[in-house]
Amino acid sequence: MALRQRPHLLLAKSKRLCEDRVSPRMRHQKKTVKLGRTADHRRALLANQVCALIEHQRIKTTLAKAKAVRPLAERMVTLGKNGSIHARRRALAVLRQKDIVKKLFDDIAQRSAERNGGYTRIVKLGARKSDSARMAFIEWVDAEYIAEEKPKKEKKAKRKESEAEPQQITPEEEQPTQEEPKAEASAPVPEESTAPPAEEPKPKKRRWFGRKSDDS
Protein backbone atom coordinates (compact mmCIF):
# COMPACT_ATOMS: atom_id res chain seq x y z
CA MET A 1 0.00 0.00 0.00
CA ALA A 2 2.83 2.35 0.84
CA LEU A 3 4.44 1.71 -2.54
CA ARG A 4 1.21 2.54 -4.37
CA GLN A 5 0.72 5.85 -2.51
CA ARG A 6 4.31 6.93 -2.84
CA PRO A 7 4.14 8.17 -6.48
CA HIS A 8 1.09 10.28 -5.68
CA LEU A 9 2.89 11.92 -2.75
CA LEU A 10 5.90 12.69 -4.90
CA LEU A 11 3.70 14.14 -7.61
CA ALA A 12 1.83 16.35 -5.12
CA LYS A 13 5.09 17.57 -3.58
CA SER A 14 6.59 18.42 -6.97
CA LYS A 15 3.38 20.22 -7.97
CA ARG A 16 3.48 22.28 -4.77
CA LEU A 17 7.09 23.26 -5.39
CA CYS A 18 6.27 24.36 -8.94
CA GLU A 19 3.40 26.51 -7.71
CA ASP A 20 5.62 28.21 -5.12
CA ARG A 21 8.21 29.01 -7.75
CA VAL A 22 5.75 30.35 -10.31
CA SER A 23 3.39 32.32 -8.04
CA PRO A 24 4.62 32.90 -4.44
CA ARG A 25 2.00 33.18 -1.74
CA MET A 26 0.83 36.72 -1.00
CA ARG A 27 -0.25 38.26 2.30
CA HIS A 28 -3.98 38.24 1.71
CA GLN A 29 -6.12 39.18 4.75
CA LYS A 30 -3.03 39.97 6.81
CA LYS A 31 -3.17 43.71 7.42
CA THR A 32 -1.41 43.77 10.81
CA VAL A 33 1.41 46.33 10.93
CA LYS A 34 4.18 44.45 12.74
CA LEU A 35 6.44 47.46 13.51
CA GLY A 36 9.46 45.13 13.70
CA ARG A 37 8.23 43.51 16.94
CA THR A 38 6.73 40.28 18.13
CA ALA A 39 3.02 40.00 18.89
CA ASP A 40 3.36 40.41 22.68
CA HIS A 41 5.81 43.29 22.35
CA ARG A 42 3.60 45.05 19.79
CA ARG A 43 0.50 44.59 21.95
CA ALA A 44 2.25 46.10 25.00
CA LEU A 45 3.64 48.99 22.93
CA LEU A 46 0.26 49.99 21.51
CA ALA A 47 -1.40 49.73 24.92
CA ASN A 48 1.22 52.02 26.46
CA GLN A 49 0.81 54.50 23.61
CA VAL A 50 -2.96 54.62 24.13
CA CYS A 51 -2.48 55.12 27.89
CA ALA A 52 -0.10 58.02 27.22
CA LEU A 53 -2.58 59.51 24.76
CA ILE A 54 -5.39 59.32 27.33
CA GLU A 55 -3.23 60.88 30.04
CA HIS A 56 -1.51 63.68 28.06
CA GLN A 57 -4.19 64.31 25.37
CA ARG A 58 -1.47 64.38 22.68
CA ILE A 59 1.73 62.40 22.05
CA LYS A 60 4.56 62.65 19.55
CA THR A 61 5.67 59.44 17.87
CA THR A 62 6.59 58.06 14.47
CA LEU A 63 3.97 58.13 11.73
CA ALA A 64 3.84 54.32 11.49
CA LYS A 65 3.16 53.97 15.23
CA ALA A 66 0.57 56.75 15.15
CA LYS A 67 -1.35 54.95 12.39
CA ALA A 68 -1.17 51.70 14.37
CA VAL A 69 -2.33 53.40 17.60
CA ARG A 70 -5.36 55.11 16.04
CA PRO A 71 -7.63 52.03 15.59
CA LEU A 72 -6.96 50.79 19.13
CA ALA A 73 -7.56 54.24 20.65
CA GLU A 74 -10.86 54.65 18.83
CA ARG A 75 -11.92 51.16 19.86
CA MET A 76 -11.30 52.09 23.50
CA VAL A 77 -13.44 55.22 23.10
CA THR A 78 -16.24 53.08 21.68
CA LEU A 79 -16.06 50.89 24.78
CA GLY A 80 -16.08 54.00 26.94
CA LYS A 81 -19.24 55.28 25.25
CA ASN A 82 -20.91 51.94 25.99
CA GLY A 83 -20.27 52.48 29.70
CA SER A 84 -21.23 48.99 30.88
CA ILE A 85 -19.24 46.91 33.35
CA HIS A 86 -18.41 44.40 30.62
CA ALA A 87 -17.01 47.18 28.40
CA ARG A 88 -14.96 48.50 31.32
CA ARG A 89 -13.49 45.05 31.91
CA ARG A 90 -12.62 44.67 28.23
CA ALA A 91 -10.83 48.02 28.24
CA LEU A 92 -8.98 47.09 31.43
CA ALA A 93 -7.85 43.80 29.86
CA VAL A 94 -6.15 45.78 27.08
CA LEU A 95 -4.81 48.87 28.89
CA ARG A 96 -3.97 47.28 32.29
CA GLN A 97 -4.25 50.58 34.19
CA LYS A 98 -7.30 51.34 36.33
CA ASP A 99 -6.73 55.11 36.53
CA ILE A 100 -6.44 55.39 32.74
CA VAL A 101 -9.61 53.34 32.20
CA LYS A 102 -11.50 55.55 34.66
CA LYS A 103 -10.37 58.71 32.87
CA LEU A 104 -11.31 57.16 29.53
CA PHE A 105 -14.85 56.31 30.62
CA ASP A 106 -15.52 59.44 32.70
CA ASP A 107 -13.81 62.16 30.65
CA ILE A 108 -12.84 61.30 27.08
CA ALA A 109 -15.84 59.13 26.21
CA GLN A 110 -18.25 61.77 27.56
CA ARG A 111 -16.71 64.49 25.37
CA SER A 112 -17.05 62.31 22.25
CA ALA A 113 -20.65 61.24 22.98
CA GLU A 114 -22.07 63.13 19.99
CA ARG A 115 -19.36 62.04 17.55
CA ASN A 116 -19.76 58.87 15.48
CA GLY A 117 -16.16 57.81 14.96
CA GLY A 118 -13.07 59.82 14.07
CA TYR A 119 -12.06 60.56 17.66
CA THR A 120 -8.34 61.09 16.94
CA ARG A 121 -6.33 63.31 14.62
CA ILE A 122 -2.84 62.72 13.15
CA VAL A 123 -0.72 65.79 12.39
CA LYS A 124 2.33 65.00 10.27
CA LEU A 125 5.66 66.55 11.21
CA GLY A 126 9.05 66.61 9.53
CA ALA A 127 11.68 63.92 9.54
CA ARG A 128 13.63 63.15 12.70
CA LYS A 129 17.24 64.36 12.65
CA SER A 130 18.82 61.17 13.94
CA ASP A 131 17.41 58.58 11.53
CA SER A 132 15.11 60.63 9.24
CA ALA A 133 12.03 58.79 10.54
CA ARG A 134 8.73 60.46 9.71
CA MET A 135 7.25 61.94 12.90
CA ALA A 136 3.66 62.88 13.76
CA PHE A 137 1.38 64.09 16.54
CA ILE A 138 -1.67 62.04 17.45
CA GLU A 139 -4.29 63.83 19.55
CA TRP A 140 -7.97 63.78 20.48
CA VAL A 141 -10.24 65.80 18.24
CA ASP A 142 -12.35 66.97 21.20
CA ALA A 143 -9.38 67.76 23.46
CA GLU A 144 -10.05 70.63 25.86
CA TYR A 145 -6.52 71.98 26.17
CA ILE A 146 -3.22 71.23 24.44
CA ALA A 147 -0.08 72.63 26.04
CA GLU A 148 2.15 74.61 23.67
CA GLU A 149 5.85 73.94 24.05
CA LYS A 150 7.28 77.47 23.77
CA PRO A 151 8.92 78.29 27.13
CA LYS A 152 12.21 79.54 25.67
CA LYS A 153 10.72 82.32 23.53
CA GLU A 154 8.69 83.68 26.46
CA LYS A 155 11.76 83.90 28.68
CA LYS A 156 13.66 85.86 26.03
CA ALA A 157 10.78 88.30 25.64
CA LYS A 158 10.65 88.92 29.42
CA ARG A 159 14.39 89.58 29.53
CA LYS A 160 14.14 92.12 26.71
CA GLU A 161 11.33 93.96 28.52
CA SER A 162 13.29 94.07 31.77
CA GLU A 163 16.33 95.46 29.95
CA ALA A 164 14.29 98.11 28.13
CA GLU A 165 12.64 99.52 31.30
CA PRO A 166 15.72 101.10 33.04
CA GLN A 167 16.75 102.91 29.84
CA GLN A 168 13.65 105.13 29.89
CA ILE A 169 14.27 108.29 32.00
CA THR A 170 11.47 110.72 32.87
CA PRO A 171 12.11 114.53 32.91
CA GLU A 172 11.47 114.64 36.67
CA GLU A 173 14.42 112.32 37.28
CA GLU A 174 16.77 114.49 35.16
CA GLN A 175 16.58 117.55 37.47
CA PRO A 176 18.25 116.12 40.60
CA THR A 177 21.09 114.81 38.51
CA GLN A 178 22.08 118.37 37.53
CA GLU A 179 22.34 119.49 41.17
CA GLU A 180 24.53 116.62 42.26
CA PRO A 181 27.83 117.94 40.82
CA LYS A 182 27.50 121.22 42.86
CA ALA A 183 27.28 119.35 46.12
CA GLU A 184 30.24 117.28 45.14
CA ALA A 185 32.33 120.35 44.31
CA SER A 186 31.90 121.89 47.78
CA ALA A 187 32.96 118.72 49.57
CA PRO A 188 36.75 118.30 49.94
CA VAL A 189 38.20 115.68 47.74
CA PRO A 190 40.32 113.20 49.73
CA GLU A 191 43.82 112.66 48.48
CA GLU A 192 44.35 109.33 46.94
CA SER A 193 47.09 107.34 48.58
CA THR A 194 49.81 106.51 46.14
CA ALA A 195 50.45 102.81 46.07
CA PRO A 196 54.09 101.70 45.87
CA PRO A 197 55.13 100.29 42.50
CA ALA A 198 54.89 96.57 42.23
CA GLU A 199 58.20 94.77 42.40
CA GLU A 200 59.28 92.98 39.28
CA PRO A 201 59.61 89.23 39.65
CA LYS A 202 63.23 88.04 39.74
CA PRO A 203 64.27 85.54 37.10
CA LYS A 204 64.56 82.04 38.40
CA LYS A 205 67.95 80.37 38.32
CA ARG A 206 68.14 77.21 36.36
CA ARG A 207 69.57 74.20 38.06
CA TRP A 208 71.64 71.83 36.03
CA PHE A 209 71.41 68.40 37.57
CA GLY A 210 74.19 65.98 37.00
CA ARG A 211 76.78 68.66 36.07
CA LYS A 212 79.33 70.37 38.29
CA SER A 213 79.48 74.13 38.29
CA ASP A 214 82.63 75.90 36.94
CA ASP A 215 83.23 77.81 40.22
CA SER A 216 83.73 74.65 42.27
Side-chain angles (χ1 to χ4, degrees):
M1 246 350 245
L3 295 174
R4 292 179 183 179
Q5 293 178 356
R6 189 171 181 181
H8 300 286
L9 295 174
L10 292 174
L11 182 61
K13 185 177 180 181
S14 60
K15 186 178 180 180
R16 197 182 308 116
L17 291 173
C18 292
E19 289 178 356
D20 292 342
R21 291 175 185 173
V22 174
S23 59
R25 297 176 182 176
M26 302 182 72
R27 295 182 69 251
H28 292 300
Q29 297 181 357
K30 295 180 181 179
K31 60 180 181 179
T32 304
V33 181
K34 296 188 177 180
L35 299 174
R37 290 164 173 81
T38 59
D40 294 336
H41 189 182
R42 182 172 58 253
R43 199 177 297 114
L45 169 70
L46 297 179
N48 289 335
Q49 293 281 74
V50 173
C51 290
L53 180 62
I54 294 170
E55 183 178 0
H56 302 291
Q57 307 296 317
R58 182 179 73 173
I59 58 174
K60 181 179 179 182
T61 182
T62 58
L63 183 60
K65 289 179 185 176
K67 288 181 178 180
V69 167
R70 171 185 264 180
L72 182 60
E74 295 191 356
R75 201 178 307 136
M76 293 298 106
V77 175
T78 304
L79 292 175
K81 289 171 68 176
N82 188 353
S84 62
I85 297 176
H86 179 61
R88 193 178 291 266
R89 287 173 179 169
R90 287 179 61 189
L92 185 61
V94 175
L95 301 179
R96 300 287 183 179
Q97 296 184 27
K98 293 183 179 180
D99 298 338
I100 298 299
V101 172
K102 184 179 180 181
K103 186 175 181 181
L104 171 67
F105 277 69
D106 297 343
D107 184 15
I108 295 173
Q110 299 300 327
R111 288 182 309 190
S112 304
E114 299 179 358
R115 188 179 293 275
N116 297 324
Y119 309 113
T120 57
R121 180 193 298 120
I122 294 177
V123 181
K124 294 181 181 180
L125 303 175
R128 190 161 53 189
K129 290 184 178 180
S130 59
D131 56 354
S132 299
R134 299 171 65 187
M135 304 299 292
F137 276 125
I138 180 169
E139 60 189 9
W140 299 111
V141 174
D142 299 322
E144 294 180 354
Y145 174 74
I146 296 174
E148 296 181 359
E149 299 176 358
K150 294 181 180 179
K152 295 183 180 179
K153 293 183 180 179
E154 293 178 359
K155 289 182 180 179
K156 290 181 180 179
K158 289 180 180 179
R159 288 177 183 175
K160 290 180 181 179
E161 292 176 359
S162 61
E163 291 177 358
E165 288 177 357
Q167 293 178 0
Q168 298 176 357
I169 300 172
T170 57
E172 296 178 357
E173 295 177 355
E174 293 180 356
Q175 294 178 0
T177 55
Q178 296 177 359
E179 298 176 356
E180 287 177 359
K182 296 180 181 179
E184 291 178 358
S186 60
V189 179
E191 296 180 357
E192 296 180 355
S193 60
T194 58
E199 296 180 357
E200 297 180 357
K202 296 181 180 180
K204 295 181 180 180
K205 295 182 180 180
R206 296 183 177 178
R207 296 181 180 179
W208 301 91
F209 298 99
R211 294 183 182 180
K212 295 182 179 181
S213 58
D214 297 335
D215 299 337
S216 59

